[in-house]
Amino acid sequence: MTKLLPLLALLFSFNVMAELRATGDLGIVIEREDGNALIINTTEHKRLAKIEKLGDLSHASVVFSRDQRYAYVFGRDGGLTKIDMLQDAVDKRIIQAGNSIGGAISQDGKLIAVSNYTPGGVKVFSADTLELVADIPSNYGEGLRSKVVGLVDAPGQRFVFSLFDAGEIWMADFKNPKTPVIKKFPNIGKQPYDALMSPDGHYYIAGLFGEPGLALLDLWNTDAGVKHILSDYGKDDEKLPVYKMPHLEGWAIAGDYVFAPAIGQHKVLVIDKNTWELHDTIPVAGQPVFVMARPDARQIWVNFAFPDNNQLQVIDVKDLTLHKTLSPGKGVLHMEFTPRGEQVWVALRDDNQLVVYDTETLQVITRLPANKPNGIFFSSRAHKIGL
């Protein structure tokens, strides 16, 4: 028996090795109606596990720990869930507010921030334990609290976010988590509805729903305040019904240009990043929702609000022209590129499918089943600013 022990130990070690799973090609797909999250392998195009009963995921978003082991899911019902993607299990879960709209992870990976509609404000938690670290109420006016949107991480251990009702941008410095320093930028424009951080962490841009234009904050020179850009664009255009608000997180920054959806218009705006003036507009099939750049910035992929949400269009950045129109299926909601951009995954809510495209040939590689999928989030986001 003694002689068999080394052999048994060796066999056991092989079994343990077979259970190992790398984290760099994992991802989370949200099944919105069931309140579930699928853990997927992006290289092998596999569903690995389903994490169930995560609450209202109708507007869910996800960030990842630095080691890419944990996914933090932000639910619309105020739920914050920490998923262990190696154990296929919920590590921790709390209900931190009544109505929330996304979150962010700090530069050092130690803090999780959540933006809340009800009650308005930002709460910050330990990424390890989900214990509350700071509560920042979005107070303004006479006893009012604003809905908070556009929360992103920023270099310097900061979070930046917008106050929809107050028309303000706030920046919270968490170098000392026990005493965060808040800097407020008032009068940025009416109803900032979402925002994005440039990939290099230099600029924070908030879209304005209540008036034309965008609010631009230069994080390298915050003393200069917020600059209003594109104020004249669209102010004389016919106001069309907005079927779905564009998502600024999906804005594309490619080379010297920013590609952005025109609210309520069938256009993509091309903005010169050096002057922050409108360079061009590109007519597209419908009202854009996500306008996303392939990682090498050569292509821009666009999806649309109803009734054109069965289409995708691909823009060639080289000459700013429409390259291809695709018809992947019904209810295109979200897209996510693999880390180096050779493939893009697309959520088809009404077809209960995920479809994977080769971004060079624009051909379908495979389709996977998913029940009413909306958000797709890959673990490579762990190493990107503002995501």
Side-chain angles (χ1 to χ4, degrees), residues 227-246:
K227 180 181 180 180
H228 207 195
I229 60 175
L230 300 188
S231 301
D232 294 331
Y233 177 76
K235 67 179 183 180
D236 297 324
D237 292 349
E238 177 186 1
K239 298 297 183 289
L240 301 175
V242 178
Y243 295 107
K244 184 174 175 61
M245 290 298 291

Side-chain angles (χ1 to χ4, degrees), residues 1 3 24 35 87 108 112 117 122 159 169 171 174 185 196 221 223 236 270 299 301 313 319 323 346 364:
M1 182 65 182
K3 294 181 179 180
Q87 298 293 327
D108 65 1
I112 299 292
Y117 276 8
V122 170
F159 295 109
I169 292 174
M171 182 174 64
F174 270 83
F185 302 88
L196 86 158
N221 185 21
D223 289 341
D236 297 324
V270 184
Q299 293 177 344
W301 287 59
Q313 291 192 310
D319 52 14
H323 175 57
V346 181
V364 172

Side-chain angles (χ1 to χ4, degrees), residues 202-360:
H202 189 167
Y203 297 103
Y204 177 85
I205 306 170
L208 302 175
F209 186 69
E211 63 180 273
L214 307 167
L216 173 72
L217 176 62
D218 184 343
L219 295 183
W220 293 7
N221 185 21
T222 57
D223 289 341
V226 173
K227 180 181 180 180
H228 207 195
I229 60 175
L230 300 188
S231 301
D232 294 331
Y233 177 76
K235 67 179 183 180
D236 297 324
D237 292 349
E238 177 186 1
K239 298 297 183 289
L240 301 175
V242 178
Y243 295 107
K244 184 174 175 61
M245 290 298 291
H247 285 253
L248 271 68
E249 178 198 295
W251 283 26
I253 296 181
D256 290 330
Y257 298 121
V258 178
F259 294 80
I263 297 179
Q265 302 294 320
H266 295 192
K267 298 176 183 177
V268 169
L269 309 180
V270 184
I271 303 163
D272 187 319
K273 192 161 65 75
N274 297 309
T275 63
W276 297 106
E277 295 179 353
L278 186 66
H279 174 79
D280 202 353
T281 61
I282 302 173
V284 289
Q287 294 183 11
V289 177
F290 283 99
V291 177
M292 302 181 70
R294 197 172 71 178
D296 67 351
R298 176 59 193 271
Q299 293 177 344
I300 304 296
W301 287 59
V302 187
N303 75 331
F304 305 100
F306 179 85
D308 303 298
N309 59 344
N310 63 336
Q311 299 182 71
L312 286 169
Q313 291 192 310
V314 182
I315 294 169
D316 187 339
V317 173
K318 182 179 179 182
D319 52 14
L320 301 181
T321 58
L322 189 62
H323 175 57
K324 185 80 171 181
T325 299
L326 305 171
S327 299
K330 299 177 183 177
V332 176
L333 282 191
H334 198 249
M335 301 171 287
E336 183 84 336
F337 290 95
T338 50
R340 299 198 181 192
E342 77 283 357
Q343 296 174 10
V344 63
W345 289 49
V346 181
L348 304 178
R349 179 195 60 201
D350 299 338
D351 279 343
N352 296 310
Q353 284 186 344
L354 304 167
V355 58
V356 183
Y357 279 97
D358 182 311
T359 58
E360 189 69 28

Side-chain angles (χ1 to χ4, degrees), residues 6-52:
L7 179 59
L8 290 172
L10 183 61
L11 290 173
F12 178 74
S13 68
F14 282 149
N15 184 60
V16 170
M17 290 177 65
E19 296 296 324
L20 292 178
R21 178 189 296 171
T23 57
D25 59 357
L26 297 182
I28 294 288
V29 173
I30 300 298
E31 293 185 325
R32 61 183 291 166
E33 293 197 5
D34 292 340
N36 299 335
L38 304 178
I39 301 175
I40 57 171
N41 181 296
T42 63
T43 300
E44 299 179 359
H45 303 140
K46 285 184 178 179
R47 290 175 36 158
L48 302 176
K50 178 184 289 190
I51 311 299
E52 300 181 320

Side-chain angles (χ1 to χ4, degrees), residues 49-65:
K50 178 184 289 190
I51 311 299
E52 300 181 320
K53 299 180 180 178
L54 301 183
D56 182 355
L57 300 184
S58 58
H59 198 287
S61 60
V62 181
V63 298
F64 296 90
S65 60

Side-chain angles (χ1 to χ4, degrees), residues 90-111:
V90 172
D91 182 79
K92 292 178 178 65
R93 175 171 165 79
I94 61 172
I95 302 296
Q96 56 82 39
N99 187 345
S100 59
I101 195 72
I105 187 166
S106 62
Q107 185 178 35
D108 65 1
K110 295 180 180 180
L111 301 173

